[in-house]
Amino acid sequence: MKEKLIDLLTKSVNSLTDDFDSSQMLIERPKLLAHGDFSTNIALTLAKSLKKPPREIAQLIIDHLDESEVFEKIEIAGAGFINFYLNNKALTSIIQNILKHQERYGSNTSGQNEKIQIEFVSANPTGPLHVGHGRGAAIGDCLARLFEFSGWQVTREFYYNDAGAQIDNLTKSVMARCNHIDPSDSTFPEDGYRGDYIKEIADLYLNKQKVVCEGITIQSNGDINDEELIKKFSVATLRNEQDKDLAAFNVKFDTYTLESSFYESGAIDQVVDTLINNQLTYTKDDALWLKTTKFGDDKDRVMKKSDGAYTYFIPDVAYHLNKWERGFKRVINEQGADHHSTINRVRAGLQGLQKNIPKGWPEYVLHQMITVMKNGEEVKISKRAGSYVTLNDLIDEVGCDATRYFLVARRPDSQLVFDVDLAKAQSNDNPVYYIQYAHARIEAVLNQSGEQLTKLNQDHGYQYQTEAEKSLIKKLSEFPDLVYLACMELAPHQIANYLKDCAAEFHSYYNDSKFLVDEKQTKLGRLSLIYATQQVIKNGLRLLGISAPNKM
RNA sequence: GCGCCCGUAGCUCAGCUGGAUAGAGUACUUGGCUUCGAACCAAGGGGUCAGGAGUUCGAAUCUCUUCGGGCGCGCCA
């Protein structure tokens, strides 16, 4: 529809002037129904070069427009906007188009089946997932769904930092608990993790339990001095916990990659050798440095510490090289904004390998921190202090659907305040129920209609004329564009907001019109509209990973 | 001090590549169920889009600047 309009307008304008850059032409969907179904500013942008008043140009464009069967009327408004109003045939075809494509309505093939990897959550296996990880999980998973819907071959990946200093801290913490050292005790490891879950792991270990992670069984022997075993046991236990939480959050991953695997495969040594060979390193203070400033970083970074261990970012570079070698031309990393400084380093390290990896690769979506409020006070999230708002708690108390909606409905880069009491107390006022209610309400009407649903996608000849009807149809027709945009802009929150608007249009229509009327044509016409609405809501909710219940 | 993000209604937040009268939820005040699901709808009040300057037909949106908040700036990840 839009393409057709662009085509018509371009032809018209070309007959008026040779000097026309079609990129200046903006076709939009006006917010107000009174401004039509489509609108263009073209006359305004041409005013200067043609040296004529915009409204006069607008009239000329309309005069030169090829007759189209799609529009009921075309008018000039305001400073020189041209507004297009769809006729009934076009409105009906929008509905029929939705009913024809069903669960594929809104999808597109812009991805051309290219591979894309989305890495998200990637929490360290040092504690349960908290609300911040939940935000990452919700955003990352919705992005993945958006890309799938846009014709991409998506791989969801989770990266475990199971090597490095934080794992040593974890191990020491569990060992301390095995020795019955309380976190308040002065001999408890200074950088240790103090949460109660550490004690639970220690108890399991002391009771000689076994833990199975990714098919590998780790059997505790209860030996409180077996550091290596305690490490493996703790990491495996926590990974299982995290996987369980994610499963409860309706998030699944295709692949898991372990930081330790790059040590074992020698990939890290290779990266270091390459960087040394490319003469991008130097030694200072007994440490090995990488000249990341050559690639836009604000200072050089230590690769290898004076004690011989690598800093975290070398494994990160090796990991991303691995992603590149796996053939992902697009990689999106979803992570918390507190990690934003790694972006430059990872990209710099990759450039330093001189393997023709694009400068802006990989892409990043950063979500801002969440302030958690409880009992009117801010809860500081700190794994080390053991104060927590776990994702698991939220799912238990607020529900998976509501939690997902809440965490994905805001722009990733807005700092959001998650008031736990409010989310619990007002769970019935959560917008997600408003949307689901629309879906269930339509289901109830369709059930009582006594009509075969397959009859609804035949031409019934009904005239859509009320504001509520036109406004709802317009909203439904925007869905495919919106999906495309949300995907391009890596902004899944737009889907959430759209669904709320869409549900509002429906509820408004519901109170405005009766569907189950005697007059057959009216009944079929209206039912097909709400049937299409239900389909769009269902498709949208699926993109958010939220259920679309028929009853609630 | 330097870098990134943000500042929109009392509160929580939308506002698409600059467009027409800046929107929604919540809270507050009213009205609407003997008939398709009231977890709903309709109406009302509530704004210096943090302040200032610039760019242009046109700015919440782009640029600069001041102020305010968050995050990062480690041989932690």
Side-chain angles (χ1 to χ4, degrees), chain A residues 329-439:
Chain A
K329 293 286 183 293
R330 276 193 85 179
V331 164
I332 296 173
N333 292 337
E334 203 291 341
Q335 46 188 234
D338 53 340
H339 287 80
H340 80 249
S341 61
T342 65
I343 297 175
N344 274 339
R345 291 175 219 182
V346 168
R347 286 181 180 162
L350 289 169
Q351 291 306 304
L353 297 175
Q354 299 174 359
K355 290 185 186 286
N356 292 321
I357 297 172
K359 276 184 182 168
W361 189 96
E363 299 163 68
Y364 283 85
V365 173
L366 300 181
H367 64 259
Q368 291 292 322
M369 303 290 95
I370 300 180
T371 306
V372 179
M373 302 289 287
K374 206 167 185 174
N375 303 323
E377 280 178 22
E378 186 178 339
V379 183
K380 289 284 183 195
I381 295 174
S382 163
K383 267 187 240 182
R384 298 210 169 128
S387 73
Y388 248 80
V389 180
T390 65
L391 178 59
N392 203 356
D393 289 346
L394 282 181
I395 297 171
D396 278 354
E397 294 172 51
V398 185
C400 173
D401 285 346
T403 305
R404 278 188 79 119
Y405 185 89
F406 199 90
L407 292 175
V408 83
R410 268 92 157 156
R411 258 168 45 246
D413 56 11
S414 74
Q415 295 160 220
L416 74 84
V417 176
F418 198 122
D419 188 324
V420 176
D421 304 310
L422 204 69
K424 277 190 255 171
Q426 297 199 335
S427 61
N428 266 4
D429 290 329
N430 191 307
V432 73
Y433 296 106
Y434 180 81
I435 297 164
Q436 290 178 322
Y437 181 53
H439 185 272

Side-chain angles (χ1 to χ4, degrees), chain A residues 25-38:
Chain A
M25 185 164 69
L26 183 71
I27 309 266
E28 51 171 14
R29 332 283 300 234
K31 286 177 205 155
L32 297 176
L33 200 61
H35 294 152
D37 295 293
F38 292 96

